[in-house]
Amino acid sequence: MAGAERRRSTVWGKIRAVRCEDVKEWCVRRLPILEWVPIYDWKENLVPDAVSGMMLAIQQVTQDEQTRGAGYLASGQSQPTPGTFALTSLISANAVERLVPSTGTNFTANNNSGVLGLSEFEMQRIGVAAAVSFLGGIIQVAMFTLHLGHATFLLTEPVISAMTTGAATHVVTSQVKYLLGMKMPYISGPLGFFHIYAYIFENIRSVQLEALLLSLLSIVVLVLVKELNEKFQRNIKIVLPIDLVLIIATSTACCYADMEYVYGLEVVGHIPQGLPPPKLPAMNVLSEVVTEAFGVALVGYVASLALAQSSAKRFKYTVDDNQEFLAHGLSNVIPSFFFCIPSAAAMGRTALLYSTGARTQVACLISCALVLVVIYTIGAMLYWLPMCVLASIIVVGLKGMLMQFRDLKKYWNVDKIDWSIWVTTYMFTICFAANVGLLYGVVCTIVIVIFRFPRAKTLNLKNMKEVEYKYKTEENCESLKQVKIVTVSNPLVFLNARKFHADLMKIIQKDGTSSQACEDVNKCEQNTLLCSFSNGSCHGESLQPCQSEQCVLILDCSGLNFFDYTGVSMLLQIYMDCKNRHIEVLLACCKASLIKAMQYGGNLESENPIFFESVSSAIDASQIPRKYSKFSEQSEV
């Protein structure tokens, strides 16, 4: 009995240990802040992070209360900066204006609600926006639970680019009335974009000249200084915070010149100080904001994910698409209890972090703390800020998204079908809404791929070979050059581009010196796009460059029947990844259209040619003697 008791206690002890380890691993995986904060290098990173955080806080003061970002910083993996986002704000504004219109309300401005000195009417409008944020966050958390982040391969770069550009066009349109100093009713709904400009042209005589001149001056100053900051960012340690300088200058001038009454300039007005006490968002309006909540959840996530993936490429790390759903969901649900509007990552804030040398997410935490200080102390000083200046800051902040029009030339040269998808997705976005444009782009992309796939002649793995050679580069020398040849036998499109990259990286990472065959080939996940050929363990160590062995990867593209922009981008990424590993990449049997697409799609920096007519010519070009001994060959059916 005693022995049995000891065995049971030992078993229970192991179970408790395993459970503790599992819980710890889950917490670290879902809250990455628990992993990087304990190993934070205070000596090396604190100063640049503090400088970047201060610069980011200055920019944030002109746009939002950044306290909403805390949830994302705890659970997010990527570098992009959370906060208010023009696209999600516009979607929320549609719900606010629909449910609590600015005209025809029974509330008066003098009916005080007792919350930060705001009226009942103002609190009701804010409550609708908070409800959109709350429900949008719940939807994102639900998508995380359902692992829908793994379906993001359906969001191709042309679709995301077109949707964000179209949404940015909507935001600029919403600011035109402030830039021109016009009074106009709220216009939304299908084709509302065109109705707004029709109204403006019909009432062009009501444009306020003072507001127009101040808007033009502000835009010119902002663009000019930002361009100079970007041009000389390597030579200066701290960029000029032109947004803050412009706000201070125009607010001071407006106050002392009494421009609100003398010239009739519209100003921001009263800004409440501090944060309201936490309160559950208005549950009675949730059923009426479902459409806007889905729009916020999808548009905010897609725009943020695009920035996260761009940051991951830049700083060489990976992004868990599903984890990002959880991060953004929490950053919308938690702040909604403090009457915050929906948030997402924005290009302007992210670019500012890059340009000011931020090292880690501590820069965002410092920015949050500084913005809180502003909210509780000097927020009321923005009363005199002219609305036309604020609109100019918003429009210039969208410059990066609007510049995506330049991608049209690239898409035209790479794949004209992707070009047509971009144009039509953009048109659907400006004619209807960002979420409608996004849905159209995804459906259109899937339908086109379905119709293009039957053109492919080799969709299955049949008699495919993958060959590996080793050669002596010089006589009586121990130096070896290892050549791996991979045959691409299927179309390369957005549906399989990520898996193509992952499987090819697995092949590259296998130990090239091992000749032991895999005990169970089925354990190696095969891509129908590749003919898997490699020797050695399925879980081999990473192939590191060394003096005794050099590596060459030859991609036989004879079976690559067609491709889209995502597929070309993935080939370029593979080329750069291998180059960073000091692995030479050569492409054989490429069609002329593929060569042209890769040359237009990226900068192929190489002293030697990388495109060859055949595999044999590629082998010859790798400066290996033609007389070689075959190291291994395997066939798969």
Side-chain angles (χ1 to χ4, degrees), residues 464-466 485-489 529-531 554-556 558-559:
M464 296 299 177
K465 296 181 179 181
E466 188 177 67
I485 305 171
V486 176
T487 299
V488 183
S489 58
L529 193 64
L530 298 176
C531 341
I554 297 177
L555 294 179
D556 178 6
S558 57

Side-chain angles (χ1 to χ4, degrees), residues 198-218:
Y199 181 91
I200 291 174
F201 285 116
E202 290 173 1
N203 300 272
I204 195 68
R205 293 186 178 181
S206 63
V207 171
Q208 192 176 12
L209 184 60
E210 295 83 1
L212 176 60
L213 293 176
L214 186 55
S215 299
L216 292 174
L217 179 62
S218 300

Side-chain angles (χ1 to χ4, degrees), residues 575-593:
Y575 174 81
M576 295 306 300
D577 290 345
C578 291
K579 184 178 179 181
N580 294 333
R581 296 169 180 262
H582 303 283
I583 298 174
E584 186 179 4
V585 179
L586 306 177
L587 287 86
C589 307
C590 297
K591 294 178 174 61
S593 58

Side-chain angles (χ1 to χ4, degrees), residues 37 49 114 242 255 271 278 319 335 337 365 378 417 469 471 555 566 568 625:
V37 164
D49 282 343
I242 185 59
C255 177
I271 298 179
V319 175
F337 288 85
L365 291 173
I378 62 176
I417 292 181
Y469 301 94
Y471 310 90
L555 294 179
T566 304
V568 173

Side-chain angles (χ1 to χ4, degrees), residues 263-313:
Y263 300 106
L265 284 181
E266 185 179 358
V267 297
V268 171
H270 171 67
I271 298 179
Q273 284 187 317
L275 292 176
K279 182 181 178 181
L280 188 69
M283 297 291 106
N284 59 319
V285 300
L286 292 184
S287 60
E288 301 181 65
V289 298
V290 172
T291 302
E292 288 81 5
F294 267 102
V296 163
L298 294 177
V299 173
Y301 172 78
V302 169
S304 301
L305 183 63
L307 286 175
Q309 291 175 343
S310 175
S311 177
K313 288 182 181 179

